[in-house]
Amino acid sequence: MVIHRYLLHNDQIRDSAGQMLIPGQLGLLSGWGVFSTIRVVNSVLFAFERHWDRMTHDAKLMHVPFPTDPAALESALLRLVDANQTPNCTMRVVVVRNRGGFWEGPGVSRPYDLIALTADTNDWSRAVGLGVVANGRHAASPFAGTKILSWAANLTWYEQAHMDGFDEVVLLNERGEVSECTSANIFAAFGNQVATPPLASGCLPGITRHVLLHDCPIAGYSVEEHMLTLADLSRADQVFITSTTRGLLCVEHIEGIVVNNRGNARQVLDRAFCDYLDRYVADVRNRRAAA
């Protein structure tokens, strides 16, 4: 993704070509910070409150100073959307820790820096192929499931997947269980029963994952957390991945196993998710109009 011209740096809209950050900011050198990727639809930050909750939780766990006013942050992020004239886009929100630890430089006065960027929403393919990475997640770690700036391992696995002819990878945990992909959750449908790995697998609590589990029930279908193995993915009727930018994307093949494409659970859940998103956006816009 190529970012748009303007970004949000703390409370100011700045030109992305300008110099704002300094090497002495601790989090820039060590990846000490948290982030989230938000889908922007008709100038509405979809599921903003869920992104706020997750970032707040992760920041506390990782000792990253964090803003305290969600309304002020939402307002600032919307100013960025307006500045870039991109009511429909993808947004990255980053909070970088600046102080403490080793290699803190001079001239750093703020405990953290807030950075937000927008980019055009990527046009993903309709189906993906997945490689497999053993021991890609450590489920027993107290930091499992946190969305932090130390993302190099994920980027390397993602790049290697493309070098190997895949689109993404399935990351297994230390027990050999399916956890997630580098930037997506994974689901498997068995008839009308749909399963996704529990957080105990080491996966990240994705926003789309949460909506499917809790916010858009569908008559005749169940969506629940269950431990999954590669053997389970092989016998499933459908396998798909989910993320803020991808929505619900069909898995066409997985390295070393056969993937079926039977039934229409993914399609049904996709329609339900899109309906939920439309209602969410409409509700927010109606509340703004009434304010």
Side-chain angles (χ1 to χ4, degrees), residues 277-289:
L277 186 151
D278 290 343
R279 291 195 303 272
Y280 181 99
V281 172
D283 287 346
V284 171
R285 291 179 66 84
N286 288 337
R287 288 199 300 272
R288 288 179 187 168

Side-chain angles (χ1 to χ4, degrees), residues 11-250:
D11 297 322
Q12 296 183 344
I13 303 295
R14 307 283 293 273
D15 194 303
S16 59
Q19 295 183 353
M20 290 156 276
L21 306 176
I22 59 176
Q25 291 177 251
L26 180 69
L28 295 182
L29 298 178
S30 57
W32 202 349
V34 298
F35 78 96
S36 199
T37 303
I38 301 176
R39 183 172 178 177
V40 184
V41 181
N42 293 335
S43 296
V44 172
L45 309 179
F46 174 60
F48 171 77
E49 64 283 354
R50 300 199 188 286
H51 287 280
W52 169 270
D53 289 345
R54 187 177 66 189
M55 290 186 75
T56 302
H57 170 272
D58 292 351
K60 182 178 181 181
L61 184 65
M62 298 299 300
H63 298 176
V64 175
F66 197 78
T68 58
D69 187 343
L73 176 58
E74 184 177 19
S75 177
L77 296 177
L78 290 173
R79 284 196 289 115
L80 175 62
V81 171
D82 290 341
N84 283 321
Q85 300 180 27
T86 51
N88 296 282
C89 63
T90 299
M91 175 181 286
R92 175 66 59 91
V93 182
V94 177
V95 175
V96 180
R97 175 168 168 166
N98 286 342
R99 308 293 301 274
F102 298 102
W103 303 108
E104 178 187 329
V108 179
S109 58
R110 292 178 56 92
Y112 68 87
D113 264 29
L114 170 72
I115 306 163
L117 318 97
T118 61
D120 292 340
T121 300
N122 196 32
D123 184 14
W124 298 97
S125 62
R126 294 189 177 184
V128 294
L130 306 179
V132 177
V133 174
N135 297 302
R137 287 291 181 262
H138 182 205
S141 169
F143 304 117
T146 54
K147 198 161 187 175
I148 57 177
L149 293 184
S150 302
W151 208 248
N154 288 315
L155 293 173
T156 303
W157 284 322
Y158 185 79
E159 184 175 72
Q160 187 63 47
H162 284 257
M163 294 170 63
D164 294 339
F166 299 102
D167 301 290
E168 251 278 14
V169 290
V170 178
L171 300 174
L172 308 180
N173 63 25
E174 69 272 26
R175 299 186 294 269
E177 301 162 349
V178 171
S179 180
E180 61 180 346
C181 299
T182 65
S183 59
N185 292 111
I186 191 164
F187 286 74
F190 306 88
N192 290 356
Q193 296 181 327
V194 180
T196 190
L199 299 184
S201 71
C203 71
L204 187 137
I207 303 302
T208 305
R209 174 187 183 275
H210 188 281
V211 169
L212 292 175
L213 281 169
H214 304 291
D215 295 329
C216 53
I218 307 164
Y221 286 83
S222 65
V223 183
E224 299 177 349
E225 293 179 310
H226 287 293
M227 188 274 285
L228 295 172
T229 64
L230 289 178
D232 293 323
L233 299 187
S234 180
R235 69 181 182 84
D237 294 315
Q238 290 180 311
V239 179
F240 58 95
I241 62 175
T242 67
S243 73
T244 290
T245 58
R246 294 179 176 97
L248 282 67
L249 200 55
C250 176

